[in-house]
Amino acid sequence: MANPQNIRIFVRRYDCPMKHTVLALLLVMAVSLGEAAAQNIALGERVPEMKHTVWLDGHRAEPSTATYIEFYHSANEMSDAALERLCRLCDDAECDLRLIVVTKEKVAPRLRPLLSPHVAVALDQGGRGFAAFGVSYLPFGVLVDARKRTLWMGNSLQMNKQLFHQITNQ
C-alpha cells in the first residue's frame, strides 16, 4: 500500500504546473470572451445611435435607402484608400448611398473637400461612436438600411459596387 505522506509530497510537487495550466486556460477564455463582447453590432439589428456627434460645417448628407458608416483615422493609409473607393461608390448614379465618415480627430481641412449631398463627416468627440460600434481595426465600416439595421460590416476595402448591389438588392 502506498504511503500517504509520499502521495502528499507527490501532489505538492506536481500540482503547481496544473494550477498554471488552469490559470492560463482561464485567461485565454476571459480574453476571447472580452473580444466577442467588443463587437457591439450584429447583422439585422439596429446600429447604435450616433449621439454626441458634431457634423463638420453643420453639413448632413441627404437621406437615402442605404447609409455606409465609415470609421476613419488619418494616420491609417488604408483608411484613405477605403474612403476614396467609398466616395466613388457614392458618386455612382446607380447606387443610392449616403456616406458618413466618423473620425475622432480634428482633420477638417483634410475631409472638408469630401462634403457633398451624399457625404457627411461626423466628428466623434471622446470616441463614443467608435466605442458604441466596437471598432477595433481600420478601415472598418457598416452598411445600414433606411431603418438603421445592419446589412453588412467589415473591412471597407472589400466594399465595391457589385457587393453593394448584392447586399441591398438595388
Side-chain angles (χ1 to χ4, degrees), residues 148-164:
K148 298 183 180 180
R149 300 203 183 278
T150 307
L151 300 173
W152 182 89
M153 62 186 160
N155 184 331
S156 300
L157 290 171
Q158 296 174 345
M159 180 56 66
N160 57 36
K161 185 176 177 179
Q162 180 183 1
L163 181 60
F164 174 77

Side-chain angles (χ1 to χ4, degrees):
M1 185 165 167
N3 183 350
Q5 189 161 356
N6 288 343
I7 292 174
R8 274 189 235 125
I9 291 171
F10 177 81
V11 169
R12 280 190 199 138
R13 187 177 299 159
Y14 293 103
D15 71 335
C16 286
M18 185 60 135
K19 285 181 186 176
H20 293 292
T21 304
V22 170
L23 286 174
L25 287 173
L26 288 173
L27 180 64
V28 167
M29 287 174 45
V31 167
S32 44
L33 286 175
E35 288 297 319
Q39 189 63 26
N40 297 335
I41 52 178
L43 293 177
E45 298 295 322
R46 287 181 59 87
V47 295
E49 293 292 324
M50 293 292 295
K51 296 178 181 178
H52 310 292
T53 54
V54 175
W55 297 96
L56 181 61
D57 295 342
H59 171 77
R60 291 182 180 222
E62 295 176 357
S64 65
T65 57
T67 300
Y68 194 91
I69 303 168
E70 170 66 6
F71 293 89
Y72 176 82
H73 195 282
S74 63
N76 186 316
E77 293 176 17
M78 301 309 267
S79 285
D80 287 327
L83 203 51
E84 284 180 37
R85 178 181 281 194
L86 292 168
C87 285
R88 282 195 306 271
L89 190 60
C90 282
D91 292 339
D92 191 329
E94 294 179 21
C95 300
D96 184 16
L97 179 65
R98 164 175 66 168
L99 174 63
I100 297 175
V101 181
V102 181
T103 182
K104 295 189 274 187
E105 310 172 277
K106 295 181 180 174
V107 289
R110 186 176 194 154
L111 296 175
R112 188 170 280 119
L114 299 177
L115 297 178
S116 75
H118 302 288
V119 180
V121 177
L123 304 173
D124 184 20
Q125 299 173 334
R128 292 178 183 165
F130 275 70
F133 280 81
V135 177
S136 58
Y137 65 88
L138 294 174
F140 179 78
V142 180
L143 181 63
V144 299
D145 63 13
R147 296 178 303 167
K148 298 183 180 180
R149 300 203 183 278
T150 307
L151 300 173
W152 182 89
M153 62 186 160
N155 184 331
S156 300
L157 290 171
Q158 296 174 345
M159 180 56 66
N160 57 36
K161 185 176 177 179
Q162 180 183 1
L163 181 60
F164 174 77
H165 287 298
Q166 203 172 20
I167 294 168
T168 61
N169 296 320
Q170 285 188 14

